[in-house]
Amino acid sequence: MFNDHGTPSDDRFQGLTDHDGTSGTLRHDGYLGVRRDDGIAYVAITLRSGRTPAQKQALYRRIAELAHAYAGTEPRNVFVVLTENESADWSLGEGVAQYLDQRS
């Protein structure tokens, strides 16, 4: 039912949006010692809360590794933000908060 990362094995709720880099409003430059350039890849993930800081750090590292391996994006250009919420904040259809009826 759940994989090694605690995610339901049938979880397939990924939405991917590509932006051409010329019409967006994301401003990037250097911040906290990281100098990004026009090759920035912005990754926004909405997820249920409960991951540890170590799990999040491992996720950031893996996303940067995969972006470099598959797209040639330099790890310094991989900008990731997580937005967490609770089980009651999700309705996957039928007007029901399905996660409230399951053990998560």
Side-chain angles (χ1 to χ4, degrees):
M1 192 114 70
F2 289 87
N3 64 25
D4 293 340
H5 304 288
T7 304
S9 56
D10 60 350
D11 181 344
R12 300 287 185 261
F13 304 107
Q14 294 80 26
L16 306 175
T17 304
D18 182 26
H19 299 279
D20 65 11
T22 60
S23 61
T25 58
L26 177 65
R27 300 294 179 251
H28 57 80
D29 198 5
Y31 185 64
L32 297 177
V34 180
R35 299 292 304 169
R36 288 174 295 280
D37 60 30
D38 289 340
I40 189 170
Y42 181 77
V43 179
I45 301 171
T46 302
L47 68 159
R48 289 190 293 162
S49 62
R51 276 65 173 194
T52 66
Q55 288 173 311
K56 293 174 186 179
Q57 184 63 46
L59 174 65
Y60 304 144
R61 189 176 313 109
R62 187 66 176 142
I63 290 171
E65 290 169 355
L66 292 173
H68 187 255
Y70 286 96
T73 303
E74 292 185 39
R76 67 185 173 88
N77 279 327
V78 180
F79 187 115
V80 181
V81 61
L82 301 181
T83 302
E84 294 182 298
N85 57 37
E86 301 298 324
S87 295
D89 298 320
W90 293 79
S91 174
L92 306 174
E94 305 291 340
V96 176
Q98 287 86 353
Y99 289 137
L100 292 180
D101 297 331
Q102 299 178 5
R103 295 199 186 272
S104 46

